[in-house]
Amino acid sequence: MQSRLTIKDIARLSGVGKSTVSRVLNNESGVSARTRERVEAVMQQEGFSPSRSARAMRGQSDKVVAIIVTRLDSLSENLAVQTLLPSLYEQGYDPIMMESQFSPKLVEEHLGVLRRRHIDGVILFGFTGINEKILAPWQSTLVLMARDAKGFASVCYDDEGAIDILMARLYEQGHRQISFLGVPHSDVTTGFRRHQAYLAFCKSHALTPNFVLPGLAMKQGYDHVAEVLTPETTALLCATDTLALGASKYLQEQQNSALQLASVGSTPLMKFLHPEIITVDPGYAEAGRQAARQLIGQITQTRDLQQIVIPGSLQ
Amino acid sequence: MQSRLTIKDIARLSGVGKSTVSRVLNNESGVSARTRERVEAVMQQEGFSPSRSARAMRGQSDKVVAIIVTRLDSLSENLAVQTLLPSLYEQGYDPIMMESQFSPKLVEEHLGVLRRRHIDGVILFGFTGINEKILAPWQSTLVLMARDAKGFASVCYDDEGAIDILMARLYEQGHRQISFLGVPHSDVTTGFRRHQAYLAFCKSHALTPNFVLPGLAMKQGYDHVAEVLTPETTALLCATDTLALGASKYLQEQQNSALQLASVGSTPLMKFLHPEIITVDPGYAEAGRQAARQLIGQITQTRDLQQIVIPGSLQ
DNA sequence: CTGTTAGCGCGTTCAA
DNA sequence: TTGAACGCGCTAACAG
């Protein structure tokens, strides 16, 4: 480009020394108001912006963080990232994006790239199968999303709370035969915790549980929903909106519109295609905000590792 | 972090001068095989990786590019980005992501940030309303996606071709009353071009056009599809998969399953929810690859501005 | 072929 | 309050 001005140029143009310009740049004290003003005017006028690489070299941080999502087209992660990005930019951090595709191996490769790149921090959307040993070197500069792990900062959704809210709502509407479509326990949060919460509610309200845990994919919801439908079933709770979408498709095909559906995850697509489904927003937006805050806090050493849980809300 | 080794250290450890290390690092000629091996061994062993900021300062490029998508949850853009990212990483470029939300103002702000950041290049997913004057400073380091503009490199989809393929298919299936659900002409590619191609096909095959151009949103497809349905209509062509999704929902609600739908855009979601819809894949993946190639080519001065058109393919 | 020297743009002493 | 000098890690120009 042409942006070849340096602090030296600014110094010359405003008739001061380079260090004074540096001081103004960093809002350091010890510069007379008059001088400061003059320098700032010149900088403004020349459209000066300091070289990132040069500052990075002197200091340590080049203010770049990475966001590793499982999939770019994950509806829920998108909602979190959507607030994450502005939050990071606000603080002068540039987020670079990577996709893990649910592959621990890819995560490892990505982290390798990031290490060589001397990145400042990582926000990692968790999934089943990640080896925590790989994450160990990042303990102090990593925020885990949608998952928690000992010794790591994390931002999680309130899995139990979300299920509770939905079950309570269904119960309140009079439903007593509520089936559950979920995810295997190998997935601790979306799988195990949500299922447990379902079972707990059933137990405390004397309901008979009826569930199946096929997996995360839409097609799995479609393929397996029939297994939990009895003639008495009046409601179906889905662990994720993706599963709900799959189940809905099946029910539509079966002309079954009597069943009340409910699911965790309140994405725009969901709300448009199936407004009749009762949903809980796990707080994706808030999760993004918190994650940014947490990560930057860690990087700047002003915040210790926290395990944050975002409360969900009925939509 | 701990990765505090510098080329000086490597030089000392392998008993050579720093410039030799530098030469090895950059694969420059003029280093004896033996020396090179020795240095490489030490680097390997110590897990050395050069400081990006330092190299960036010496050279010019810090090998960071930006990708500005309209929305993180755009299904089509996601598919392009999904191949874009690996292509960029492969060449050692780090992509930072931004979201324009279809707001020209936001694009302008983002470009401002990027200018101050001395970014190497930008991949911008185009939309209606972007002021080309704002883009002017980026002419040589910008690749426009899904849109073309004089003096800018671009990667476009073959709008006319895609519509042609779909229309030909429908025609071949015997359909003679084909309605069109599209986007206003203010959108040059998705709007104007696709509509024109529809009209052209109708004309050349003596079909009576019947269309409405509400917009890009799913809800607009839902709300306006009824306007182009006559008792004689046997097929409906949608300019985008999003519109098709909206239209499908309406048709489902009306219990109308006789109508054959077709649309541009073959996203996984679409294929799952409505496999019965005939689709053309505009070549999102290929577009991502090409865009990366084009941008890096421009940055490294080995490629001049090109307007690339990706051919679509019936799915 | 290889080591030495001189900066790149900036922050950080240290005198003035 | 300010400026001059030094060095960050690296590449480039110049010796040897």
Side-chain angles (χ1 to χ4, degrees):
Chain A
M1 324 293 167
Q2 67 286 23
S3 189
R4 293 288 124 221
L5 298 110
T6 77
I7 53 169
K8 194 192 288 185
D9 299 316
I10 302 299
R12 189 170 33 74
L13 287 172
S14 40
V16 300
K18 307 131 211 204
S19 25
T20 302
V21 177
S22 175
R23 286 185 186 105
V24 173
L25 216 52
N26 301 345
N27 280 319
E28 278 174 30
S29 60
V31 182
S32 73
R34 279 184 56 259
T35 313
R36 181 181 298 274
E37 248 177 58
R38 196 149 40 93
V39 175
E40 272 171 347
V42 175
M43 300 213 294
Q44 183 74 31
Q45 182 186 326
E46 302 291 334
F48 168 77
S49 58
S51 150
R52 248 182 122 102
S53 355
R55 340 186 65 174
M57 209 179 69
R58 264 332 265 127
Q60 36 262 28
S61 156
D62 53 354
K63 303 199 95 176
V64 175
V65 300
I67 301 175
I68 306 182
V69 297
T70 59
R71 304 202 34 168
L72 286 172
D73 55 4
S74 159
L75 298 174
S76 55
E77 292 182 10
N78 267 334
L79 285 174
V81 175
Q82 229 154 13
T83 63
L84 202 39
L85 293 184
S87 306
L88 290 170
Y89 280 117
E90 227 169 62
Q91 306 291 322
Y93 284 85
D94 286 340
I96 76 181
M97 292 264 286
M98 309 181 119
E99 204 185 24
S100 71
Q101 292 166 171
F102 293 105
S103 154
K105 205 180 142 111
L106 261 182
V107 171
E108 191 172 354
E109 282 183 33
H110 287 159
L111 289 178
V113 171
L114 296 176
R115 197 182 51 72
R116 282 188 284 283
R117 202 207 175 300
H118 302 296
I119 212 102
D120 292 308
V122 177
I123 291 181
L124 173 63
F125 284 83
F127 56 91
T128 303
I130 293 186
N131 185 345
E132 286 183 22
K133 287 188 183 127
I134 289 164
L135 304 185
W138 299 87
Q139 249 185 313
S140 61
T141 50
L142 178 83
V143 174
L144 211 48
M145 299 290 290
R147 205 129 242 149
D148 47 20
K150 224 176 301 180
F152 289 92
S154 60
V155 176
C156 274
Y157 304 114
D158 179 10
D159 295 293
E160 289 87 356
I163 296 295
D164 266 354
I165 292 174
L166 291 170
M167 286 298 282
R169 183 92 176 98
L170 290 172
Y171 191 87
E172 171 191 312
Q173 289 185 345
H175 297 285
R176 293 296 180 272
Q177 298 285 337
I178 308 175
S179 293
F180 181 79
L181 185 57
V183 175
H185 285 190
S186 55
D187 182 317
V188 180
T189 56
T190 312
F192 177 73
R193 287 187 193 161
R194 294 187 189 178
H195 183 221
Q196 287 303 312
Y198 164 74
L199 292 178
F201 190 97
C202 284
K203 189 162 191 187
S204 65
H205 292 72
L207 304 180
T208 311
N210 184 10
F211 59 89
V212 58
L213 311 175
L216 281 165
M218 213 173 279
K219 181 156 193 339
Q220 292 174 307
Y222 176 86
D223 287 342
H224 294 274
V225 60
E227 300 165 17
V228 289
L229 299 185
T230 69
E232 292 77 36
T233 309
T234 61
L236 173 69
L237 175 55
C238 302
T240 76
D241 49 353
T242 304
L243 280 174
L245 242 30
S248 288
K249 180 171 161 59
Y250 177 84
L251 295 174
Q252 249 173 12
E253 286 173 8
Q254 302 298 314
Q255 311 273 345
N256 182 342
S257 59
L259 209 64
Q260 172 66 58
L261 260 67
S263 92
V264 180
S266 186
T267 55
L269 179 72
M270 185 73 178
K271 276 305 181 191
F272 174 77
L273 288 180
H274 297 289
E276 76 282 3
I277 298 183
I278 300 171
T279 60
V280 157
D281 173 11
Y284 297 123
E286 184 58 17
R289 249 187 300 282
Q290 294 285 355
R293 209 160 76 93
Q294 172 66 34
L295 184 65
I296 294 175
Q298 282 177 228
I299 292 174
T300 55
Q301 315 268 358
T302 62
R303 202 172 210 266
D304 46 348
L305 269 45
Q306 291 183 22
Q307 312 213 147
I308 300 165
V309 176
I310 310 290
S313 58
L314 194 66
Q315 290 303 295
Chain B
M1 319 300 162
Q2 67 287 24
S3 187
R4 291 292 118 215
L5 297 109
T6 78
I7 53 169
K8 194 194 289 186
D9 299 317
I10 302 298
R12 188 169 35 72
L13 286 172
S14 41
V16 299
K18 320 160 204 185
S19 30
T20 302
V21 178
S22 176
R23 285 183 187 109
V24 173
L25 215 51
N26 301 343
N27 278 319
E28 279 174 29
S29 60
V31 182
S32 76
R34 278 184 56 261
T35 313
R36 181 181 298 274
E37 250 178 54
R38 195 149 41 94
V39 174
E40 272 171 346
V42 175
M43 300 212 296
Q44 184 72 32
Q45 184 187 322
E46 302 291 334
F48 167 77
S49 58
S51 150
R52 263 183 103 104
S53 355
R55 334 185 69 173
M57 208 178 71
R58 243 5 239 116
Q60 32 261 31
S61 156
D62 52 354
K63 304 199 95 176
V64 175
V65 300
I67 300 175
I68 307 182
V69 298
T70 58
R71 303 202 34 171
L72 285 173
D73 55 5
S74 159
L75 298 175
S76 55
E77 292 181 10
N78 266 335
L79 285 174
V81 174
Q82 227 154 12
T83 65
L84 202 39
L85 293 184
S87 306
L88 290 171
Y89 280 118
E90 224 169 64
Q91 306 291 322
Y93 285 84
D94 286 339
I96 74 179
M97 294 265 288
M98 312 182 114
E99 203 185 25
S100 71
Q101 292 168 171
F102 294 105
S103 154
K105 204 180 141 109
L106 261 182
V107 171
E108 191 173 355
E109 282 182 32
H110 287 159
L111 290 178
V113 172
L114 296 176
R115 198 183 51 70
R116 281 187 285 282
R117 203 206 175 299
H118 303 295
I119 212 104
D120 292 307
V122 177
I123 290 180
L124 174 63
F125 284 83
F127 57 90
T128 303
I130 294 187
N131 186 348
E132 286 184 23
K133 285 185 185 132
I134 289 165
L135 304 184
W138 299 88
Q139 250 185 313
S140 61
T141 49
L142 179 82
V143 174
L144 212 47
M145 299 291 288
R147 206 128 242 152
D148 48 19
K150 225 176 302 181
F152 288 92
S154 60
V155 177
C156 275
Y157 305 113
D158 180 10
D159 296 292
E160 290 87 354
I163 297 294
D164 266 355
I165 292 174
L166 291 170
M167 286 298 282
R169 184 91 176 98
L170 291 173
Y171 191 87
E172 174 191 310
Q173 289 186 343
H175 296 285
R176 292 298 180 268
Q177 298 284 338
I178 309 175
S179 293
F180 181 80
L181 186 57
V183 175
H185 285 192
S186 55
D187 182 316
V188 180
T189 56
T190 311
F192 177 73
R193 288 186 193 162
R194 295 187 189 178
H195 183 222
Q196 287 301 311
Y198 165 74
L199 293 178
F201 190 97
C202 285
K203 190 163 190 186
S204 66
H205 292 72
L207 304 180
T208 310
N210 184 9
F211 60 88
V212 59
L213 310 175
L216 281 165
M218 211 173 279
K219 183 158 193 337
Q220 292 173 308
Y222 177 85
D223 287 341
H224 294 275
V225 60
E227 300 166 18
V228 288
L229 299 184
T230 70
E232 293 77 34
T233 309
T234 61
L236 172 68
L237 175 56
C238 302
T240 76
D241 50 352
T242 304
L243 280 174
L245 241 30
S248 287
K249 180 171 161 61
Y250 177 84
L251 295 174
Q252 249 173 14
E253 286 173 8
Q254 303 297 313
Q255 311 272 344
N256 181 342
S257 59
L259 210 63
Q260 172 66 60
L261 259 68
S263 92
V264 180
S266 187
T267 54
L269 179 71
M270 185 73 176
K271 276 305 182 191
F272 174 77
L273 288 180
H274 297 288
E276 76 282 4
I277 298 182
I278 301 171
T279 60
V280 157
D281 173 13
Y284 297 123
E286 183 58 17
R289 252 187 298 282
Q290 294 284 354
R293 208 160 76 93
Q294 172 65 35
L295 184 64
I296 293 175
Q298 282 177 226
I299 291 174
T300 55
Q301 314 268 357
T302 63
R303 202 169 208 266
D304 47 346
L305 270 44
Q306 290 183 24
Q307 312 212 145
I308 301 165
V309 176
I310 310 290
S313 59
L314 194 65
Q315 290 304 295

